[in-house]
Amino acid sequence: MQIALKEAKAAQARGEVPVGAVIVSAAGEVLAQAGNRTLEFKDPSAHAEIVAIREACQRLDSERLIDCDLYVTLEPCTMCAGLISFARIRRLYFAAYDEKSGGIEQGAAFFAQKTCHHTPETYGGIMESDAARLLCDFFRAKR
């Protein structure tokens, strides 16, 4: 999660919403790390999770990330939850809960839907205060 927080801070420095993500193999190797890049790429789908999943899939030359774990600083939205499921991520660890746009514990609760084909083990609240503080400070500065 420390690496994901570093990526979130880098995203913030680029003017992006400070969210970072890291994908780790079963052997503990960091396969990909990314921060939000929606503004930079002019792409509303360039969330940290999606950028990292794409990079890890290319690195493994596979559309599946079986036995890989995802660490992200904010509860993924429903769009990202769908991709996490399709990529067959083994475990999802996230820091801050997102009451407005979260798609795991909040909102759509994507993994709880009967149409969800794969549900990763999910653990929320890891280093929550650090990630929440980063997000709060970012949005406070925007106001």
Side-chain angles (χ1 to χ4, degrees):
M1 194 61 78
Q2 292 285 352
I3 297 170
L5 281 166
K6 181 180 143 207
E7 287 293 334
K9 290 174 185 173
Q12 181 179 25
R14 294 189 301 272
E16 303 273 3
V17 175
V19 177
V22 177
I23 299 193
V24 179
S25 73
E29 177 186 6
V30 173
L31 298 173
Q33 57 192 68
N36 274 356
R37 294 192 177 270
T38 60
L39 299 174
E40 179 182 346
F41 292 173
K42 310 272 186 283
D43 178 356
S45 72
H47 290 194
E49 303 94 309
I50 292 175
V51 175
I53 287 170
R54 288 176 178 160
E55 182 181 326
C57 285
Q58 286 184 348
R59 185 160 176 201
L60 294 178
D61 194 29
S62 174
E63 76 282 8
R64 302 278 191 247
L65 298 174
I66 297 167
D67 294 329
C68 292
D69 299 335
L70 171 63
Y71 295 81
V72 63
T73 59
L74 182 64
E75 176 183 355
C77 70
T78 305
M79 173 180 67
C80 292
L83 183 58
I84 290 164
S85 177
F86 291 139
R88 304 299 194 263
I89 297 286
R90 176 178 61 177
R91 291 186 196 108
L92 166 64
Y93 301 91
F94 67 88
Y97 290 85
D98 187 345
E99 292 180 18
K100 182 176 180 185
S101 299
I104 307 299
E105 301 279 334
Q106 314 294 321
F110 184 85
F111 299 144
Q113 302 302 313
K114 66 181 179 181
T115 55
C116 181
H117 296 284
H118 168 76
T119 302
E121 292 177 36
T122 303
Y123 306 92
I126 298 161
M127 298 184 73
E128 180 178 10
S129 61
D130 294 326
R133 187 176 325 106
L134 189 62
L135 286 157
C136 286
D137 290 348
F138 174 81
F139 286 113
R140 188 175 299 116
K142 289 278 187 192
R143 293 185 193 121

